Amino acid sequence: SPALKGRYETAQGGSVEGIANFPLPVSVDFSATTGASVRAALSLTAEGNRIKITPNAEGLYENVSVVVTDAEGNRHASDPVTILADYTAPSVTFTAPDPQAWLQNKLTVSFTAHDEARLEKTEYAVYAAGTENHEWKTVPAGGKNSSARDISFSQTSALDAVEDGPVMISVRAADAAGRQTTSSRIVFKDTKAPEAKVIVPEDGSTI
């Protein structure tokens, strides 16, 4: 079979190449098991006995296999391979809370994350500004608003564990190539009413 096995990661503009050691000339096509959307996103060529698969766009392409027909009419199928074409880091977009919002005991965190290939992990943390070693919570994958490339998250929770003052909300998303994006937003927690103190006149003074 053509020498294609396993998983490949391409650089931008790069290709996956294999050798077809069969009588020349050879022709090549995707196998019937390769999905139509994957076929549309990949270019396939044969140059001599060299088979080349080139991604036309970023993405994670699974179960890619080719069939080589040699000069004698014999057909040779490759093993299925996975091709990762991932050149850019994920993006994170907040939809709530508003920047520098004033809050009391509840916080609604809403955001979306996107990657052109595939998101591997998305996490968020809520913590008092300036603190370290805060807890990151993993955003569950799946659901009607999620896919391998996109995730949408929204949750309202109590702010009891955070003292009054500036509060940070951070989101970090990692993709299949290991690139990571972190985005943060600051808000302010204020649950105490202002205190007023009379300075003049002094208590008990006669006016």
Side-chain angles (χ1 to χ4, degrees):
S1 64
L4 291 171
K5 291 181 180 291
R7 176 186 170 108
Y8 299 85
E9 183 173 341
T10 65
Q12 190 165 9
S15 302
V16 174
E17 296 188 6
I19 301 298
N21 288 316
F22 309 118
L24 297 176
V26 300
S27 62
V28 64
D29 196 1
F30 290 110
S31 69
T33 58
T34 303
S37 60
V38 173
R39 291 169 177 250
L42 301 173
S43 296
L44 177 61
T45 58
E47 301 173 3
N49 66 349
R50 188 179 299 276
I51 308 303
K52 182 184 292 187
I53 306 172
T54 305
N56 300 321
E58 291 186 70
L60 181 68
Y61 307 108
E62 298 177 301
N63 297 318
V64 180
S65 60
V66 301
V67 175
V68 174
T69 302
D70 64 26
E72 298 172 355
N74 299 310
R75 291 166 59 84
H76 312 271
S78 74
D79 293 328
V81 300
T82 296
I83 300 173
L84 174 63
D86 191 348
Y87 319 130
T88 55
S91 62
V92 174
T93 304
F94 278 100
T95 52
D98 292 332
Q100 302 184 26
W102 288 89
L103 309 172
Q104 293 188 336
N105 293 315
K106 290 185 178 181
L107 169 67
T108 297
V109 176
S110 299
F111 60 85
T112 59
H114 170 80
D115 188 71
E116 290 297 326
R118 185 174 73 181
L119 291 166
E120 284 291 316
K121 190 174 186 179
T122 307
E123 303 170 293
Y124 75 100
V126 178
Y127 53 97
T131 60
E132 298 181 358
N133 300 321
H134 34 273
E135 178 186 3
W136 289 93
K137 298 180 180 179
T138 300
V139 177
K144 65 179 182 179
N145 294 323
S146 302
S147 70
R149 298 174 58 185
D150 295 276
I151 192 164
S152 178
F153 177 80
S154 183
Q155 179 172 290
T156 299
S157 56
L159 273 177
D160 298 342
V162 182
E163 298 292 332
D164 281 18
V167 178
M168 294 294 295
I169 305 104
S170 294
V171 178
R172 63 187 183 191
D175 65 18
R179 297 180 179 86
Q180 180 173 287
T181 296
T182 302
S183 182
S184 298
R185 179 162 287 188
I186 189 169
V187 296
F188 299 93
K189 179 183 177 183
D190 186 1
T191 61
K192 299 174 182 176
E195 295 182 1
K197 183 178 181 180
V198 177
I199 301 175
V200 178
E202 296 181 356
D203 189 26
S205 299
T206 300
I207 299 177

